[in-house]
Amino acid sequence: MVQSLDIVSDLGEGFGSYQIADDDSLLKIVSSANIACGFHAGDPRTMASTVQKCILNNVAIGAHPSFPDRVGFGRRGMDLSALEVETDMLYQIGALSGFTKAFGGKLQHVTPHGKLGNFVVEDEKYANAVAEAIAKFDDSLIVVTLPGELAEAAKKKGLQIAYTIFADRAYNDDGSLVSRSHEGAVLHDSDTITKRVIRMVKEGKVTSITGQDIDVNGSSLLLHGDTAGSVQMAKEIKSALIANEIVIKNLAGSN
């Protein structure tokens, strides 16, 4: 049984006067944040504000780099060279690190966003490029991903790994996430999701989209903030975890 768990949400995913999620409310719930670095969402003011709010709320800061795809919110595949992927990663991590340093914080982790996050699980070229960028920038950063190519590439470089489990996303039989283009890829029923999370954490099991029980293993629970009722759902999930004697801590081990 997992004794502690990181709760993380994707934050700073706005641009200018536009904001998708209720970041202020989520910051009262989560222990870590994946902050958009400008390529799928985010801008300098949004990044600065989100970093400051994380520090004020004692929420650990992570970089959430993406393909350069603001129009598609980073959810479209791109055929890039390894050099393009590596340098895009360095650019985005460096930008967020600059804001974090300016306000007295420190980056905890890096987790690729959207389609890039999917590609690095399955494609060795993308995985190696991402791992290379992280290792070059700061080899103390934790790489947060699903089991797959990025995890293996990061291990070879001596980087620390943390696996993500997803509260509201359906799983395929092989442990990958069901594509958002498919019906049922995103779950919405709060009670179902909460029970599912508790089972993932306590038993290491989840029911796939075909009805098969599969193994899951993760120390970081991702709660999406851009779906209807997400804040209330996050509160219920956190309360259920605490009721089941799961201690909420960030990946660095702080409450």
Side-chain angles (χ1 to χ4, degrees), residues 48-95:
S49 174
T50 306
V51 165
Q52 288 177 285
K53 290 177 180 178
C54 284
I55 293 170
L56 287 172
N57 286 276
N58 197 31
V59 171
I61 297 169
H64 205 29
S66 166
F67 281 135
D69 178 32
R70 182 167 286 166
V71 172
F73 201 67
R75 290 177 177 162
R76 299 183 294 186
M78 301 185 75
D79 184 13
L80 302 182
S81 69
L83 178 62
E84 287 174 310
V85 175
E86 181 183 332
T87 51
D88 281 354
M89 287 286 296
L90 286 168
Y91 185 96
Q92 293 176 83
I93 298 170

